[in-house]
């Protein structure tokens, strides 16, 4: 009887250990199959941060959001897309997921695109990280 | 005629000198900031390519900032613990540096590497501490590349590491910063 209980505990520990190890090794994935919490335009997102950064952070910080806007500037080599008005000093700065950089090869400034990614906050620009270009 | 010639010369001198002063400010929105912790148990690395830096060679002022949620880890659980438990990035979303150097120690006309001593304060996790480090500036035809590497102790910034993983995280993290090539007053 004691042996059975002992074996039971050992098996339980092995299973819990395996689950823990699996969760610990889990890599940071892409946003491809995740639903955005908010959908808005680049102008709306920028205005929200410029009006009240703290309030905007409470709403958007760390959330997966979908932003639509015109491309202000592109950095194809590093996978950066800046959304906003052509002469705007502040933009929505989107950093594409490293595995998806090639998706911006055909884009040019002025094109209107939709981008999904995690909002990481506001410095000079509102920043969107691990972003994916939507069709 | 002579007076006219002198006036033109003065105008050219004023225009050139004001352009030179203007050209001594560099801004980057794509600064690489990474940190690394190495122990016998584990190596932990994270990087952020969206740091912001403003370098004014004329006045010797440096301002830098980075968003904590922008740091990417290979393992998602590490990233989650870093944000939720250690850096509390919902409460303290930014890390900032503000400092000065001796502007006389830098010459943008001289191509090549120059090393400068930077003194200022760094704010992480809502805690501000004095900070001193050496940075390397490289100039090439008016463009500038900045590089710095310095240690940071999490405990100095009230970052609590749970006892269970204390041996996995080095008490001193190695931080690296690379601005990439910056054009004067360019994105």
């Amino acid at each position: 009887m004691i042996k059975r209980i002992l074996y039971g505990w050992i098996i339980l520990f092995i299973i819990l250990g395996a689950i823990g190890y699996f969760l610990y090794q889990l890599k940071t994935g892409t946003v491809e199959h995740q639903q955005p919490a908010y959908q808005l335009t680049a102008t709306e997102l920028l205005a929200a941060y410029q009006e009240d950064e703290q309030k905007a952070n409470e709403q958007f910080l760390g959330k997966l959001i979908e932003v639509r806007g015109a491309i202000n500037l592109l950095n194809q080599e590093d996978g950066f897309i800046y959304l906003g008005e052509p002469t705007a000093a502040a933009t929505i700065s989107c950093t594409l997921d490293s595995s998806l950089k090639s998706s911006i090869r055909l884009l040019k400034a002025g094109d209107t695109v939709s981008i999904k990614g995690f909002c990481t906050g506001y410095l000079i620009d509102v920043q969107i990280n691990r972003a994916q270009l939507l069709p | 005629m002579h007076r006219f010639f002198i006036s033109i010369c003065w105008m050219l001198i004023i225009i050139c000198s004001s352009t030179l002063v203007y050209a001594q400010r560099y801004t980057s929105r794509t600064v690489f900031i990474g940190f690394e912790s190495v122990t016998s148990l584990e190596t932990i690395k994270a990087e952020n390519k969206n740091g912001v830096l403003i370098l004014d060679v004329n006045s010797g002022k440096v301002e830098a900032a980075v968003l904590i949620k922008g740091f990417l880890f290979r393992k998602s659980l590490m990233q989650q613990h870093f944000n939720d438990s250690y850096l509390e990035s919902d409460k303290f979303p930014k890390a900032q540096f503000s400092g000065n150097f001796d502007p006389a120690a830098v010459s943008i006309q001289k191509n090549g590497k120059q090393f400068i001593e930077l003194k200022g304060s760094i704010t992480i996790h809502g805690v501000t501490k004095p900070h001193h480090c050496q940075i390397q500036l490289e100039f090439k035809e008016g463009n500038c590349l900045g590089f710095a590497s310095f240690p940071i102790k999490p405990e100095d910034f009230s970052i609590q590491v749970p006892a269970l993983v204390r041996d996995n995280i080095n008490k001193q993290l190695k931080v690296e910063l690379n601005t990439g090539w910056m054009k004067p007053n360019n994105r």
Side-chain angles (χ1 to χ4, degrees):
Chain A
M1 184 65 182
I2 291 172
K3 257 189 182 178
R4 276 189 184 175
I5 293 170
L6 192 66
Y7 285 143
W9 276 109
I10 289 170
I11 289 166
L12 187 69
F13 274 121
I14 289 170
I15 290 168
L16 288 176
I19 291 170
Y21 182 78
F22 171 76
L23 290 174
Y24 187 66
Q25 295 298 328
L26 216 58
K27 287 183 181 163
T28 310
T30 65
V31 299
E32 198 174 356
H33 301 294
Q34 299 180 50
Q35 283 301 311
Y38 297 97
Q39 288 175 306
L40 67 174
T41 67
T43 313
E44 286 167 345
L45 182 61
L46 191 61
Y49 268 96
Q50 286 177 333
E51 202 172 290
D52 189 338
E53 186 182 348
Q54 199 178 336
K55 195 177 158 193
N57 267 341
E58 283 166 16
Q59 192 174 1
F60 302 115
L61 190 65
K63 302 272 179 12
L64 183 65
I65 57 175
E66 186 181 320
V67 190
R68 187 165 175 79
I71 298 173
N72 167 299
L73 190 78
L74 271 174
N75 177 336
Q76 298 194 332
E77 195 181 325
D78 296 316
F80 296 121
I81 301 177
Y82 298 90
L83 301 180
E85 300 298 321
T87 54
T91 63
I92 307 297
S93 161
C94 307
T95 308
L96 288 189
D97 191 288
S98 55
S99 62
L100 304 169
K101 274 185 203 172
S102 58
S103 61
I104 61 170
R105 275 190 196 142
L106 299 172
L107 296 178
K108 58 185 187 305
D111 288 353
T112 298
V113 292
S114 289
I115 290 172
K116 184 168 69 169
F118 287 97
C119 178
T120 58
Y122 180 51
L123 289 176
I124 296 175
D125 306 301
V126 178
Q127 297 187 6
I128 305 284
N129 219 328
R130 292 168 59 197
Q132 183 201 2
L133 196 64
L134 297 173
Chain B
M1 186 64 188
H2 184 68
R3 271 190 175 180
F4 177 74
F5 180 72
I6 289 173
S7 307
I8 294 290
C9 284
W10 271 115
M11 275 175 70
L12 280 172
I13 288 167
I14 290 165
I15 290 167
C16 288
S17 59
S18 63
T19 308
L20 200 64
V21 170
Y22 183 73
Q24 285 177 323
R25 191 178 152 107
Y26 296 89
T27 306
S28 175
R29 300 177 185 202
T30 54
V31 176
F32 169 91
I33 300 171
F35 66 83
E36 187 180 53
S37 154
V38 181
T39 64
S40 55
L41 294 173
E42 195 166 28
T43 297
I44 299 167
K45 282 182 184 179
E47 57 181 49
N48 185 324
K49 294 176 182 170
N50 296 103
V52 167
L53 181 127
I54 300 167
L55 169 76
D56 194 325
V57 181
N58 199 40
S59 66
K61 280 192 173 175
V62 178
E63 301 282 340
V66 68
L67 293 169
I68 301 300
K69 280 199 192 287
F71 279 97
L72 293 178
F73 291 71
R74 267 189 65 231
K75 293 173 183 172
S76 67
L77 202 63
M78 273 183 190
Q79 191 163 317
Q80 193 185 328
H81 285 167
F82 172 76
N83 280 295
D84 298 347
S85 310
Y86 305 157
L87 270 289
E88 299 178 275
S89 58
D90 282 331
K91 206 169 157 191
F92 308 108
K94 296 172 190 176
Q96 285 165 299
F97 173 81
S98 179
N100 290 284
F101 61 89
D102 178 10
V106 178
S107 168
I108 63 167
Q109 281 86 18
K110 213 191 283 177
N111 282 352
K113 290 174 185 171
Q114 298 171 38
F115 295 89
I116 56 169
E117 296 296 323
L118 194 61
K119 281 181 183 169
S121 60
I122 195 163
T123 304
I124 303 171
H125 194 227
V127 178
T128 302
K129 292 272 175 187
H131 188 73
H132 172 252
C133 69
Q134 190 183 58
I135 63 168
Q136 175 194 300
L137 295 179
E138 188 175 351
F139 291 96
K140 197 177 175 185
E141 283 140 25
N143 295 334
C144 175
L145 186 147
F147 177 82
S149 178
F150 50 88
I152 271 187
K153 287 181 178 172
E155 65 176 15
D156 287 347
F157 297 92
S158 303
I159 297 166
Q160 307 293 331
V161 178
L164 187 68
V165 290
R166 203 162 286 160
D167 293 338
N168 295 45
I169 300 171
N170 200 316
K171 288 185 171 56
Q172 193 163 276
L173 307 179
K174 183 187 169 192
V175 179
E176 275 193 1
L177 180 149
N178 190 331
T179 65
W181 282 103
M182 301 183 284
K183 290 177 183 172
N185 275 300
N186 206 344
R187 171 169 289 172

